[in-house]
Amino acid sequence: MSAPGWGRGVGYAASLALAAGALGASAVTTAPPAGALTPPVGFTADHLSTYQTNGIVWALAEAGGVVYAGGTFSQIRPAGTAAGGAGSAPAVNFAAFDAATGAPTGCSLSFTRSSGTATVRALAVSPDKSTLYVGGWFNAANGTAVNGLAAVNTATCQVRTGFAPGFSATVRALDVAADGTVYAGGDFQSVGGQTRRFYGAVTPGGTPTAWNPDVDAPGRTLRVTPDGASVLIGGDFFTVGGAASHALAVTDAATGALDHGYPGTFIPPTAVIKDIVTDTASGGWYAAGEGRGGNSFDGRLAMELDGFGQRWRDTCQGATQALRVYRGVLYAGSHVHDCSSMGGFPNQVRKHLTAQSVDDPEMLGWLPDTNDGIGEPVGPRALTVASRDGRDFLWVGGEFTTVNGVSQQGLTRFANSPDTGAPAAPAVSVSAPRAGEVKVSWRSSLDLDDSLLTYRVYRNGGAAPVYTTTGSSRFFDRPQLTFTDTDVVAGQTYTYRISASDGTNTGAQSAAVSVTAAASASPYREKVLADGAELYWRYDEAGGAFAADASDSGDGGVYVNAPAYRSTPAAVTGSAALTLNGTDEYVYSDRLHHYTAPSPYSVETWFRTTSTTGGRIIGYGSNIGTAQGQTSTVADKLVYLTDDGRLTFGVQVGNSPDRPTITTTGSYNDGAWHHVVATQGADGMALYVDGEPAGTDPATGGRSYNGFWRVGGDAMSNAWPDRPTSTYFAGQVDETAVYPTALTAAQAAEHHDLADAVPGPGGGGGGTTVALTPTEDAYVNGVAANTTYDDTQLAARGTTPYLGYLRFALPAAPAGQHLTAARLTFRTSSDATAGSAESHDVVPVTGAWSESSVTYNTRPALAGTVLGTISGATALSTDYAVELDASALGGALGSSFSLALTGSGTDSLRVWSGEVATAAFRPQLILTFGAE
């Protein structure tokens, strides 16, 4: 189908085998080991060196360890060779290969037409393996006249003379019965001069038989049942012998009469069937669907051979082209991209090779991949299984041009052994949540043919693991795993690394992560956990894509587009924050959630911003991506900021357009940290800001759907009241939590008070906080002494000298209050020299200057007073702050006041100025006033 992505089946639950608990570092636990190729997967995901084609492979078949490929191509070439390169050889729409080596055999045939473009579309081998039947659109095979169907002797690679049944148009499907009858489907209207609409059969000698399903549209696939009594057909048709049966039917093997039909919408009218395979061991047959539109059929059907009823149905989107069964596993070639209809993952990038048990539609942990390639394009088109030299091989043909990210066109293959691919290193996060504890969390690794992996945790560079466990993961399902080390001493630093193994191959250890054991717990963290948070992201990671969940639920998150990590100051003492750019950076939950309304919940986070374009701070949505078609089509439980800085909490009631919302009267884009809690329960909706009630709404309903929590942005429809200009949030977030209950007003207030954060306007016992951005800023350079630098950066250095200047319009103190604290916040730029290991002073400017004209030669005079000293600003693109002497600024309230950034060493400090495009990156002067 034209719609692209994929997911898993019903019961899409992660299975974890965790020997969980608080274990001493000296104790080594043993979990059942993983083994290469997690059962029932039978093939590795490691593609083998295989000859390529210069066009599309439409069909594959095997006999005696030889794999035959048919399609639309003119050459074959070795692996790793560009089209037309060294070793290329003619191969006109057909080639034969050694199944074990991937190299061509001596069998060379060409299938051509006197006019038009010839193609081979179907291959089938007789049960005794003596004859290969080749179907397609051609009228000659190695110069022998044939029309649409040829017979080839597999021992001699010679086209059988005298076999020329004559098909009036393209043959697209073939199968051979035990008695040698050759069944065909395609675009033809006659066989050997006899009317046969889209399906027909011939004897081993090429004479048409009486089999005549008489369908009304092209045939795409067919398969003789193992007992030989029936022929299963699939295609575009809507009637069989005049009776209604769309795309799928069971016909009598002798006459073609309809034995079992599938009328109505069993197969939607917008779908066709592209492949059918049978499997005696499971007593089943399996069909591949290709449809158009989200309500069509693109997945796989599992049907019973006894009675022909449905066993299960996979409704993932991304048209399925080819199927094969091997040892209880159904392998599929498709471009699956969306399994939300199965309760699985939403529309995402296409995947092209998948596996599932014949007994269950849930996807297995086997996922090598191709690209879409040329042609339509849809990637793989054909599959076959071959055996040679004691090994089994899965061959894949199609229109792809890469396999597992490596250039490879038209053909590839996989073997049942050996497995040579090692799992990726885990992404690890460490924290010291309580006295005597270090918590090591990691996102489970990905191995494309092993879902069950063994993890070993190493401490302080030790050779023996301190903890061993197993966990299951697939590309769409990578749970967080955790080890709590209780053999730690407060004040000492511990380093951890983790490896993942499939039982045969062990991947590289993760990068070392370190943490200093704490002497006490964070009161804020303890309260959040005590109140039942089942998702709690603290954003303390130094980098990477994994956001650890501090709750016991293991609901980790994924950082998207590398936001700025470890931003300071954070909202909560002892923690760091996360900076988001307001364009494409966000965090989403790594776990699919199943929300049924009405169910109580609360969302909580801290945020800080000066944005005037608003943005989604936190919400729930049906998708995890940012690309077109991969943002959420359904979203609610939103907390967002309007353009003028007001907070809005809203939900959607069912599928209706109703979106009850609560919006604050005050604005919160003042650059200070603010705390927000939004709840919905039996008493309706409630919003709390900075520990105080901010509004209620009686709505108790919501929308029921599968989705993901997202922080920082997602799509928003125009139906949301006061929809912000930007749906992505620019600023900092910290301490995000989700609860399965509606927090009370008292709980919201207690959380706010425990944070020890700078109070927002109107908070903190009647105090006031004001965030100021520069009215002017610039820097000067001693090397270019007559140049004005009024751009997006400020700089400070002793030699060669740089000085940066900032001017602020200081307000008068509010009535009855005085200045109690002052802080300059800034973000180091992305320049390679931005961070500095040296200290830099902030001093008052006493001379005159303007950003449009100041140069090093005209630089203003500075006071001898130091208002504050910047130290430790070593990282690039990172937020920092310096506390300033409030008493020295107090006398300047109500006037224009200038600061200078100075240095005495040789290491420069570069920070973003007020001219930088992203508002959250601009410097700010935060003034806090308290009662006199």
Side-chain angles (χ1 to χ4, degrees), residues 46 63 97 156 159 252 291 336 437 555 641 643 656-657 662 763 784 796 813 839 866 902 920:
D46 310 321
F97 303 92
T156 64
V159 177
D252 182 270
V336 64
E437 288 185 8
D555 199 354
L641 207 67
D643 286 356
S656 76
I662 303 168
S839 297
V866 176
T902 69

Side-chain angles (χ1 to χ4, degrees), residues 561-719:
N561 293 322
Y565 306 93
R566 288 192 172 276
S567 299
T568 57
V572 175
T573 301
S575 180
L578 185 74
T579 298
L580 302 166
N581 65 5
T583 303
D584 61 358
E585 295 173 352
Y586 62 101
V587 192
Y588 69 85
S589 57
D590 209 6
R591 177 185 302 168
L592 179 70
H593 295 262
H594 308 278
Y595 182 83
T596 303
S599 295
Y601 64 90
S602 299
V603 294
E604 172 183 39
T605 197
W606 288 80
F607 71 93
R608 182 166 72 103
T609 187
T610 58
S611 173
T612 57
T613 57
R616 267 184 54 154
I617 301 174
I618 184 171
Y620 187 69
S622 60
N623 211 328
I624 60 176
T626 55
Q628 184 177 4
Q630 297 175 13
T631 54
S632 295
T633 55
V634 181
D636 76 336
K637 306 170 188 63
L638 305 186
V639 175
Y640 59 94
L641 207 67
T642 63
D643 286 356
D644 58 3
R646 291 174 296 136
L647 277 169
T648 298
F649 166 43
V651 301
Q652 182 178 6
V653 179
N655 295 327
S656 76
D658 294 340
R659 286 172 168 80
T661 55
I662 303 168
T663 301
T664 64
T665 56
S667 297
Y668 296 91
N669 57 345
D670 56 5
W673 278 110
H674 296 287
H675 177 244
V676 58
V677 175
T679 74
Q680 188 178 27
D683 296 329
M685 301 164 59
L687 180 65
Y688 306 94
V689 182
D690 293 334
E692 300 291 336
T696 61
D697 188 282
T700 58
R703 185 159 184 176
S704 302
Y705 63 101
N706 299 324
F708 306 83
W709 290 106
R710 291 179 56 139
V711 173
D714 195 1
M716 289 180 67
S717 77
N718 291 328

Side-chain angles (χ1 to χ4, degrees), residues 246-283:
H246 174 50
L248 198 66
V250 182
T251 68
D252 182 270
T255 67
L258 181 64
D259 281 349
H260 192 102
Y262 301 91
T265 58
F266 184 82
I267 302 297
T270 54
V272 300
I273 296 297
K274 298 298 292 287
D275 198 13
I276 294 172
V277 295
T278 60
D279 179 46
T280 304
S282 64

